[in-house]
Amino acid sequence: IGFPAWPIMTDPDNAEHALNLVADIEWAKKVAKSQKQKVWDRFEELAQMLSTAAPHFVPTLLEELARIFDDSGSPKLAVRAFGKAREFERTYDLPVDSWRHRAAVTEFAALGIIGAADMTREARAASSRCANPQEAYKYFLSLCINQIRAGGQVYAGMLCDIIRLGKAAGHSAADSGVHLGEGIA
């Protein structure tokens, strides 16, 4: 669930403010191909304005920006927007709904637009967000497979992250490598 639906559901008292930002989203969809920097600058302004009034709106707003950039053929800006959403959560110590987070990360991995640092953070967080080590391993392995299949970044520590989670789930390093290889084949 993205923007504006998620902010409206979680903060109905401020639904009007979320709806007011829909015009900016529609504008961005129209001009993102030709005016990338202008769109980026406008959403940075919006994030800054929301940081004091409604910081919990920003992550889903930036995820929507990532979708817009991905749809307009700007995958690097999409990666940047997705990363900025996660950074905003950490900077403002926002509560993260595990279900929504997992759905968003899964979606963006399938698009191939999660940066290396965010993938490593996700690997580290999987252990605490998932019910058990096996679930954490399967979840993160599927993210990596989807990211690779989508043509996304294969980062230097990807195999190490998979092996670490695999070890906790009872898999050898070799098995973890095979699981990754079979998944992308």
Side-chain angles (χ1 to χ4, degrees), residues 28-153:
K29 288 177 181 177
K30 290 177 188 172
V31 302
K33 261 189 177 170
S34 61
Q35 299 180 40
K36 295 174 181 105
Q37 191 59 50
K38 195 172 185 179
V39 169
W40 180 263
D41 292 344
R42 175 63 183 147
F43 276 72
E44 281 209 319
E45 282 177 28
L46 291 172
Q48 185 59 39
M49 289 184 325
L50 290 169
S51 68
T52 54
H56 56 290
F57 281 19
V58 176
T60 52
L61 180 65
L62 292 174
E63 287 169 4
E64 196 60 38
L65 178 62
R67 289 182 189 97
I68 291 167
F69 279 135
D70 184 57
D71 289 343
S72 71
S74 300
K76 288 183 180 180
L77 286 171
V79 169
R80 189 172 165 196
F82 181 83
K84 188 116 174 132
R86 305 292 69 81
E87 178 186 325
F88 204 88
E89 288 171 342
R90 291 187 305 275
T91 301
Y92 289 88
D93 196 25
L94 297 176
V96 175
D97 179 272
S98 294
W99 175 86
R100 201 206 72 76
H101 174 82
R102 193 169 179 168
V105 172
T106 301
E107 172 193 352
F108 285 98
L111 295 172
I113 56 172
I114 301 179
D118 287 311
M119 285 294 281
T120 294
R121 278 188 204 91
E122 194 62 25
R124 290 184 184 134
S127 298
S128 62
R129 288 194 178 127
C130 295
N132 58 57
Q134 188 65 29
E135 181 187 338
Y137 173 69
K138 286 180 179 179
Y139 163 68
F140 188 72
L141 180 65
S142 72
L143 290 181
C144 293
I145 290 167
N146 289 337
Q147 176 95 341
I148 292 167
R149 283 183 176 169
Q153 183 177 16

Side-chain angles (χ1 to χ4, degrees), residues 169-184:
H171 300 288
S172 70
D175 287 342
S176 294
V178 168
H179 296 156
L180 177 63
E182 287 175 349
I184 59 176

